[in-house]
Amino acid sequence: MTSSKLLPLSTEEHAAGNGLVSRRWLLRTGFPAAGAVGLSSGLVQAEELRVPDWSSSPGLDLTGYGQPSPFESEVVRPTLPLFPEGIGDGSGVSFTPLEKLAGTITPNGLFFERHHSGIPEIDPTAHQFAIHGLVERPLVFTVEALLRYPMVTKTCFIECAGNSLFNSFDEAQQRTAGEIHGLIGNAEWAGVSLAQLLDEAGVSPQGKWLVAEGADAAKMSRSIPIEKAMDGDAFIALYQNGERIRPEQGYPMRLVVPGWQGSMNVKWLRRIKVVSAPVYAKDETSKYTLLQKDGKSRQFTYEMGVKSVITSPSPGRELGAPGLYQISGLAWSGAGRITKVEVSADGGASWAEAMIPDQTSTRALTRFQLPWQWSGQSATLMSRATDEAGAVQPTREAWYEPYAANQLFHQNAIQVWAVSHDGGIRNVYV
Ligand SMILES: Nc1nc2c(c(=O)[nH]1)N[C@H]1C(S)=C(S)[C@@H](COP(=O)(O)O)O[C@H]1N2
Ligand SMILES: [Mo]
């Protein structure tokens, strides 16, 4: 076996400017033959294969709860307290390190956090959840009681409305993809349909809205139109990626409203009150409104817009020698499925369509990939997602157009990474 040289691909395989390779090339060539273009450059002569120490004696013992390899100890959530010490205790965020992960599921220990008043330590045997207000039969549920209902399972993302806030600064901030766009996580949630519980309580005809409230000291509260529950979409999650929901994510139960802004997914859910009109809670008036240039504010902006980000290459995942790379990233939309992701390597002058291995998931993170023959020259990488509603991810300039200065919620603009000739990558605005 010899390591092969990086053969340049014929230009007919190029789908767009600056080295973007047609996604059809990968399908045609397949990976076994990919050695021809240098993917096998890491192979060694058979006689060079060592017998390492760990192959010569028994390894470690069994463990009760597995942990990642110690060699992965840098794969953690970067944290950001939002207030100086002593003020606003427990209010802060930690980011999902998007650039260090592959696939689409966010491991539970790396799921981003946003707490307004810390993580309450809830004893599940003492926790109560009530449905009351405009109902025939007010009901109180324990965890045990909820576990006797049929379970629904749904893989979906939860994204903070303030995600990507670092791209609302005037100067492009030099942070990783996760530190900019990582206020999002994607999990397989299992729990109980909210429609079923509301049916049991018997919603009266005047009941048009729900107010969901958490059991934390912040008592996060949000008004939710009742249709989001009645159409079967909303549920009370008890499990996250197969295990009981983590304390950070709302143990022992949280509301999940797929595709809608993070704050509506009330954690440590304590009660849902059926009301006739929105209550304008502090958490939906002091925040989560968008001031426009015309002086009017947008309120109740529930749905998260169509968005994507290239996670590899990205800051912290710099390029080595020129040659073939796989551009890979995540796309999502609160409106449903991702139907298309386009990638540009020349700052938007030309675009090529990326491969989306799984186009069926809805309101969930979707992976895209595209081969790229990097010449070793500077390049400007961008990705642009389209969802099933036909919405296309806007440029930063287009996103800001209707809004007054300093608005940051629901920022879903195209992320631009500038690749320099030495392989370094910077966040830039174009
Ligand atoms: N009870 C309660 N629910 C809450 C919050 C909170 O502070 N308290 N934060 C909200 C916000 S702003 C977001 S973005 C999501 C974050 O969910 P996560 O911490 O599981 O990622 O939870 C929401 N639900
Ligand atoms: Mo949030």
Side-chain angles (χ1 to χ4, degrees), residues 90 104 121 151 168 212 225 242 260 265 279 287 301 321 332 363:
T104 56
E121 291 187 271
M151 285 251 167
S168 64
W260 285 13
N265 298 261
V279 295
K287 294 182 276 301
T301 48
W332 63 95
R363 298 181 175 127

Side-chain angles (χ1 to χ4, degrees), residues 114 160-162 262-263 288:
R114 171 73 183 104
C160 179
S263 57
Y288 313 115

